[in-house]
Amino acid sequence: MAHAAPPAPPEGVGAVERAVPCEPEWEVDTGAKLFRVHREAARDGPSGATAETGTNAHPSDARPIKPSGSAEHASAPKTSPPISHVDAEQAARRVLVAVLEVIDGRRSPATLSPLLATAPLLQVTRLAKVRHRPANAAQVRTVHATVSRSQAHTQKAHTSWIEVCATYARGRRLFAVAAHMEARDGRVTCTALRMPI
């Protein structure tokens, strides 16, 4: 007995078609090239990610590429640190010893050029010319320095102000000294000096 053929399904019903990918495309910017990545159908497996360029890619594998001239690799300008209190007192003592040696005629005034600004240098030079060499050499006794940072600085150097109060002895007599100095880029310069002789 012949079996009757099953009725044909209505049009548009029962037809099986391959579904299009429902996941949106990924736009991955690596810094060098823009990749558009999407997952293929299940036939390629869960890791079947491809890029439009034809090479395998995945959003987790695409990392930004830092340009070679990144600011992170640029060396920051180096600045000299402000002078410490101990270094300031030691530098002030060296300056005062050199000044007294010039006044006493034991040192050339030209050696003070790196240590004194123009005004105090001329002052000490005049004292050395008019004063006779004393019998007793002057000796620095005490030096006290107060360091304060200046707001005037550049990318290469920082200026510190040093206020100096000191005493020196000549024989049995004791004299007071006041000076203003500046420390800049590791160099200390006396810019004002008050020293009785």
Side-chain angles (χ1 to χ4, degrees):
M1 181 177 179
H3 297 280
E11 184 178 355
V13 178
V16 178
E17 296 181 357
R18 182 180 176 184
V20 297
C22 61
E23 294 188 7
E25 292 184 343
W26 297 77
E27 292 188 359
V28 183
D29 189 357
T30 65
K33 192 170 184 179
L34 179 66
F35 289 87
R36 295 184 180 274
V37 183
H38 64 81
R39 292 185 181 275
E40 292 289 346
R43 63 180 178 80
D44 293 328
S47 60
T50 59
E52 289 183 357
T53 56
T55 59
N56 292 335
H58 191 273
S60 62
D61 298 330
R63 295 181 176 87
I65 301 176
K66 295 181 179 180
S68 58
S70 176
E72 295 182 2
H73 299 286
S75 57
K78 297 182 179 180
T79 58
S80 59
I83 191 170
S84 66
H85 180 266
V86 174
D87 292 340
E89 287 192 345
Q90 292 178 350
R93 180 177 289 272
R94 288 193 297 268
V95 171
L96 295 179
V97 168
V99 168
L100 290 173
E101 287 179 352
V102 170
I103 293 176
D104 289 349
R106 293 180 292 152
R107 177 193 288 259
S108 170
T111 61
L112 295 180
S113 297
L115 304 177
L116 272 64
T118 303
L121 179 60
L122 294 176
Q123 175 187 353
V124 174
T125 302
R126 286 195 299 265
L127 291 174
K129 289 181 178 180
V130 300
R131 180 175 175 82
H132 298 290
R133 185 167 185 173
N136 298 322
Q139 296 181 348
V140 176
R141 291 295 179 86
T142 62
V143 177
H144 299 283
T146 302
V147 181
S148 60
R149 297 184 182 181
S150 169
Q151 297 299 324
H153 61 86
T154 64
Q155 292 183 342
K156 295 184 178 180
H158 189 288
T159 302
S160 297
W161 294 341
I162 307 173
E163 300 296 336
V164 180
C165 295
T167 60
Y168 77 93
R170 190 183 298 279
R172 295 183 178 181
R173 300 183 62 184
L174 194 64
F175 301 88
V177 180
H180 175 82
M181 302 183 185
E182 293 183 0
R184 181 181 177 87
D185 199 17
R187 177 180 174 182
V188 176
T189 305
C190 179
T191 57
L193 179 65
R194 186 170 184 178
M195 175 181 289
I197 58 174

